[in-house]
């Protein structure tokens, strides 16, 4: 039952004297639901929780002297029942309360009043019951008015943001509605800043709601702030924050908050449905991008606008999944959807222009915008994003990163590389600072780019074209002998002197040419893994590759 009247209010309504409080003055805010009287030793057995007690104290006398033990036992019995306080008619059978009884009442948080001799029980019971009935009637009237106001808001088609001034007007208290994923950060008055409570709310977003939150979504924080958690599928989506005086909420105030929560949940569900539909179109658009079969640039720009995206000039592809291998099962699809929602929430809070969705294998695909010839900035943003994700997602994540290739046409190749990197990541060890995150960058791959390719032979040819093509182009333009020098150097297993003798040049000339090869390809012919890559490229070249 809702809060009706306090002991302090009872003193005023019942006509008690200002000096009526004998014990427990600090506990006069205790709530009561009614008033009753008894004068039998076991009368407490028929009390209901919340009933204030009136008594003469007669059952607790021994030889016409007050019995300390009897009164102390009475206090204990009343506390067990849930009695908020009692009043004793002093002067009839008990002249005064013994100090031990007063001390015990204080320890048990039991207010004790002195009931005036000239008053009858009905002089207190009747006005208190009338006061309670009036308050309940008023609460019913106010509750009905609340329902009417929120009904008008719903039927008038007002935007959901108008709930803030409506709720503020009803409760006459600062209000904040906080749903980060939808960028709802409404507050009135504006003085409510992002304090530690809102930071705490932010940390709960997307988390599974604990049992206490499911059972009691409206809760009071230790700093006096009321929080009405907004939940969906047992996960925290946001909160209504309310600053109130140090008291409980009235029933009609709770109704206003619950009506607001219901309307917010309806709007959140509507936007979620729209977002899911939108996301399906975005997934199709991403698939169009990575396929390279999108026709003219004008058509692609128009399709991007239809799904609410503005295209950058260059992108780096990133493939992410919760499972190490492509799997068509529904469980993997659902887990990736949940992970995508977490990523969406992170992106919504930092407002990054990253394209995201699911690819044809139901893995998450990110397209990171990048500037020409500069991967570092985009990959720095990706690192920050993954660091945040690792803090919020306590499960393994596998991630593969492609390289920057110019223009939209380069997205196809970057996506191809990201898939190879992803397969490599499934066999990699997690990062030291995020053991559940397994990440591989195509730039870091050596032989793995061939081992984890769908078509190793085709990838080997691509590798040869990428590296030897640059060397052959240099030889053609500069009339150089870098490709032949590399071939001889590899044949003699990296022996500078022997290579110089076979080419009839000085050893330093060999070193100079190898430095040029490093500058052109980024590979070090002297390094074991890089040398292996160059050997594979030269092998492909020897079987008919034309630079």
């Amino acid at each position: 039952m809702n809060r009706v009247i306090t002991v302090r209010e009872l003193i005023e309504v019942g006509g008690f004297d200002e000096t009526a409080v004998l014990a427990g003055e600090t506990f006069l805010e205790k709530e009561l639901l009614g008033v009753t009287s008894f004068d039998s030793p076991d009368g407490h057995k028929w009390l209901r929780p919340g009933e204030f007690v009136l008594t003469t104290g007669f059952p607790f006398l021994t030889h016409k002297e007050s019995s300390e033990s009897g009164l102390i036992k009475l206090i204990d019995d009343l506390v067990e029942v849930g009695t908020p306080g009692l009043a004793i008619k002093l002067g009839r059978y008990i002249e005064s309360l013994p100090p031990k009884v007063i001390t015990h009442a204080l320890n048990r948080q039991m207010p004790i009043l002195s009931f005036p001799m000239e008053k009858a029980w009905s002089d207190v019971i009747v006005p208190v019951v009338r006061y309670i009935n009036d308050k309940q009637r008023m609460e019913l009237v106010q509750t009905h008015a609340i329902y009417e106001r929120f009904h008008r808001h719903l039927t008038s088609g007002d935007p959901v943001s108008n709930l803030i001034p409506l709720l503020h007007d009803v409760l006459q208290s600062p209000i904040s509605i906080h749903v980060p994923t939808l960028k709802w950060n409404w507050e009135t008055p504006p003085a409510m800043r992002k304090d530690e409570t809102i930071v705490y709310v932010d940390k709960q977003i997307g988390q599974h709601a604990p049992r206490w939150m499911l059972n009691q979504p409206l809760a009071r924080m230790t700093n006096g702030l009321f929080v009405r958690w907004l939940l969906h599928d047992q996960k925290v989506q946001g909160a209504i924050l309310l600053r109130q005086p140090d008291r409980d909420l009235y029933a009609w105030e709770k109704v206003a908050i619950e009506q607001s929560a219901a309307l917010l949940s309806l709007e959140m569900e509507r936007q979620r449905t729209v977002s899911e539909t939108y996301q399906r179109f975005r997934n199709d658009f991403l698939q169009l991008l990575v396929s390279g079969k999108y026709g003219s640039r004008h058509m692609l720009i128009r399709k991007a606008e239809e799904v609410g995206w503005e295209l950058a000039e260059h992108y780096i592809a990133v493939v992410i999944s919760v499972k190490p291998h492509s799997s068509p099962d529904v469980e993997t699809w659902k887990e990736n959807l949940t992970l995508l929602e977490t990523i969406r929430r992170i992106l919504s809070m930092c407002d990054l222009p990253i394209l995201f969705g699911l690819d044809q294998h139901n893995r998450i695909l990110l397209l990171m915008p990048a500037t020409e010839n500069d991967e570092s900035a985009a990959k720095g943003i990706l690192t920050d994003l993954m660091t945040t994700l690792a803090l919020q997602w306590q499960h393994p994540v596998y991630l593969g990163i492609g390289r920057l290739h110019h223009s939209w046409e380069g997205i196809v190749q970057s996506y191809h590389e990201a898939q190879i990197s992803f397969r490599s990541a499934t066999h990699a060890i997690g990062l030291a600072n995020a053991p559940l995150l397994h990440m591989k960058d195509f730039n870091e791959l050596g032989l793995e780019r061939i081992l984890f390719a769908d078509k190793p032979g085709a990838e080997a040819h691509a590798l040869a074209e990428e590296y030897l093509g640059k060397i052959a182009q240099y030889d053609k333009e500069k009339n150089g002998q870098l490709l032949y020098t590399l071939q001889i150097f590899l044949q003699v297993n990296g022996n500078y002197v022997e290579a110089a003798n076979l080419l009839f040049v000085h050893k330093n000339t060999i070193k100079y040419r190898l430095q040029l090869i490093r500058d052109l390809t980024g590979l070090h012919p002297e390094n074991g893994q890089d040398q292996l890559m160059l050997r594979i490229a030269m092998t492909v070249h020897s079987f008919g590759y034309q630079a």
Side-chain angles (χ1 to χ4, degrees):
M1 197 172 205
N2 295 313
R3 173 186 184 272
V4 176
I5 184 174
T6 65
V7 176
R8 188 181 302 279
E9 289 175 292
L10 176 138
I11 293 174
E12 180 179 351
V13 174
F16 285 88
D17 187 83
E18 293 182 359
T19 61
V21 181
L22 303 176
E25 187 173 2
T26 56
F27 307 111
L28 299 183
E29 300 304 323
K30 296 182 73 171
E31 302 166 1
L32 58 102
L33 304 178
V35 182
T36 189
S37 64
F38 71 80
D39 269 329
S40 61
D42 58 351
H44 65 275
K45 294 180 179 179
W46 293 276
L47 290 177
R48 292 179 300 169
E51 287 186 312
F52 189 90
V53 171
L54 308 178
T55 181
T56 63
F58 175 75
F60 313 102
L61 295 180
T62 302
H63 302 300
K64 297 195 176 189
E65 292 182 0
S66 62
S67 171
E68 289 182 352
S69 60
L71 289 172
I72 287 174
K73 183 178 185 305
L74 172 64
I75 292 171
D76 290 337
D77 290 337
L78 294 181
V79 168
E80 291 301 317
V81 172
T83 300
L86 75 152
I88 300 177
K89 191 180 280 286
L90 296 180
R92 179 73 175 107
Y93 299 106
I94 300 176
E95 292 299 327
S96 62
L97 283 185
K100 287 185 178 180
V101 174
I102 295 175
T103 301
H104 191 71
L106 182 62
N107 292 336
R108 298 308 304 269
Q109 301 183 9
M110 175 64 69
I112 300 179
L113 309 182
S114 173
F115 195 93
M117 280 292 296
E118 68 277 8
K119 280 184 175 290
W121 300 139
S122 59
D123 291 338
V124 173
I125 294 175
V126 172
V128 169
V129 170
R130 185 183 298 120
Y131 181 81
I132 290 173
N133 289 338
D134 288 344
K135 288 194 70 173
Q136 289 178 327
R137 189 181 303 110
M138 182 59 67
E139 288 217 348
L140 287 175
V141 171
Q142 289 175 311
T143 299
H144 179 73
I146 294 296
Y147 280 118
E148 285 293 320
R149 293 191 66 174
F150 280 90
H151 177 72
R152 287 197 299 272
H153 169 85
L154 180 62
T155 55
S156 66
D158 285 349
V160 70
S161 58
N162 281 7
L163 282 174
I164 273 284
L166 172 57
L167 200 55
H168 177 258
D169 183 55
V170 169
L171 302 179
Q172 293 297 302
S173 179
I175 301 291
S176 175
I177 294 176
H178 192 58
V179 184
T181 54
L182 297 178
K183 297 184 179 180
W184 292 352
N185 295 298
W186 308 319
E187 58 186 18
T188 184
M192 284 188 71
R193 62 185 185 278
K194 190 169 183 178
D195 58 16
E196 59 183 14
T197 303
I198 297 182
V199 172
Y200 169 73
V201 170
D202 280 341
K203 291 180 179 178
Q204 309 309 310
I205 302 300
Q207 302 297 318
H208 283 278
R211 185 178 299 275
W212 66 265
M213 192 182 292
L214 294 172
N215 295 335
Q216 192 177 3
L218 177 61
R220 187 166 193 156
M221 310 296 288
T222 55
N223 62 357
L225 197 70
F226 278 98
V227 177
R228 174 46 165 96
W229 298 102
L230 302 174
L231 311 175
H232 178 74
D233 287 341
Q234 298 189 350
K235 291 185 178 179
V236 181
Q237 304 298 319
I240 302 172
L241 306 176
L242 166 68
R243 297 185 190 277
Q244 275 285 9
D246 188 18
R247 63 170 176 82
D248 286 339
L249 296 174
Y250 294 107
W252 58 269
E253 291 176 312
K254 293 179 181 179
V255 167
I257 294 172
E258 290 306 313
Q259 287 288 294
S260 298
L263 293 177
L264 289 169
S265 295
L266 282 174
E267 179 61 19
M268 288 165 62
E269 185 61 33
R270 187 190 71 80
Q271 294 208 23
R272 188 177 293 107
T273 301
V274 171
S275 177
E276 289 173 356
T277 303
Y278 229 55
Q279 189 60 60
R280 286 196 289 271
F281 288 122
R282 287 180 166 183
N283 293 345
D284 293 340
F285 178 75
L286 287 175
Q287 188 55 42
L288 188 67
L289 274 177
V290 299
S291 71
K293 301 174 182 177
Y294 46 75
S296 67
R297 290 177 63 90
H298 174 74
M299 187 275 290
L300 193 63
I301 292 173
R302 181 173 59 81
K303 285 186 173 294
E305 290 174 347
E306 289 174 357
V307 296
W309 278 339
E310 182 178 348
L311 294 178
E313 281 300 316
H314 314 285
Y315 286 98
I316 296 171
V318 182
V319 171
I320 308 173
S321 180
V322 297
K323 292 291 180 67
H325 304 290
S326 297
S327 176
D329 63 273
V330 175
E331 182 183 350
T332 302
W333 170 67
K334 287 184 176 180
E335 287 190 56
N336 278 342
L337 274 181
T338 304
L339 178 59
L340 180 63
E341 183 58 35
T342 303
I343 293 174
R344 184 205 312 276
R345 183 172 61 254
I346 296 171
L347 293 177
S348 69
M349 289 188 284
C350 53
D351 200 26
L352 295 174
I354 298 173
L355 311 188
F356 57 90
L358 297 180
D359 67 6
Q360 61 180 340
H361 304 291
N362 287 326
R363 297 173 307 201
I364 296 169
L365 172 62
L366 304 183
L367 293 182
M368 308 286 300
T371 56
E372 188 174 8
N373 301 319
D374 183 13
E375 297 183 19
S376 59
K379 291 186 176 178
I381 293 172
L382 178 62
T383 299
D384 292 340
L385 173 62
M386 289 301 107
T387 300
T388 304
L389 180 64
L391 295 174
Q392 299 188 20
W393 185 266
Q394 300 299 315
H395 306 284
V397 175
Y398 301 88
L399 182 144
I401 309 169
R403 293 180 296 185
L404 171 63
H405 295 276
H406 292 170
S407 192
W408 301 337
E409 292 79 7
I411 295 175
V412 178
Q413 183 60 25
S414 185
Y415 175 61
H416 169 74
E417 295 171 353
Q419 292 184 87
I420 295 174
S421 301
F422 171 78
R423 298 186 193 103
S424 176
T426 63
H427 296 79
I429 300 174
L431 298 179
N433 63 339
L436 295 177
L437 182 63
H438 305 272
M439 183 163 60
K440 275 291 184 178
D441 189 326
F442 194 83
N443 285 317
E444 301 169 353
L445 300 185
L447 188 59
E448 299 98 327
R449 65 178 286 184
I450 297 174
L451 292 176
F452 297 111
D454 278 336
K455 299 177 180 179
E459 189 62 32
H461 275 278
L463 182 147
E465 181 178 357
E466 178 180 341
Y467 293 124
L468 301 189
K470 296 176 182 177
I471 299 173
Q473 183 66 27
Y474 179 90
D475 285 348
K476 182 178 179 180
E477 294 176 356
K478 305 292 184 179
N479 194 27
Q481 299 185 38
L482 298 186
L483 193 59
Y484 184 54
T485 300
L486 176 61
Q487 180 180 4
I488 296 299
F489 183 75
L490 295 176
Q491 285 178 357
V492 298
N493 296 317
N495 188 308
Y496 290 103
V497 175
E498 193 171 346
N501 290 336
L502 290 175
L503 291 171
F504 303 104
V505 295
H506 192 273
K507 180 176 68 173
N508 288 341
T509 301
I510 299 296
K511 292 183 177 180
Y512 172 72
R513 291 176 180 176
L514 294 180
Q515 181 60 51
L516 288 176
I517 291 172
R518 283 196 294 271
D519 294 341
L520 290 170
T521 65
L523 298 178
H524 295 239
E526 305 94 328
N527 177 277
Q529 179 167 290
D530 287 358
Q531 190 177 106
L532 178 59
M533 297 286 287
L534 290 168
R535 286 183 183 276
I536 293 172
M538 291 300 297
T539 301
V540 172
H541 170 74
S542 66
F543 279 98
Y545 164 75
Q546 297 294 324

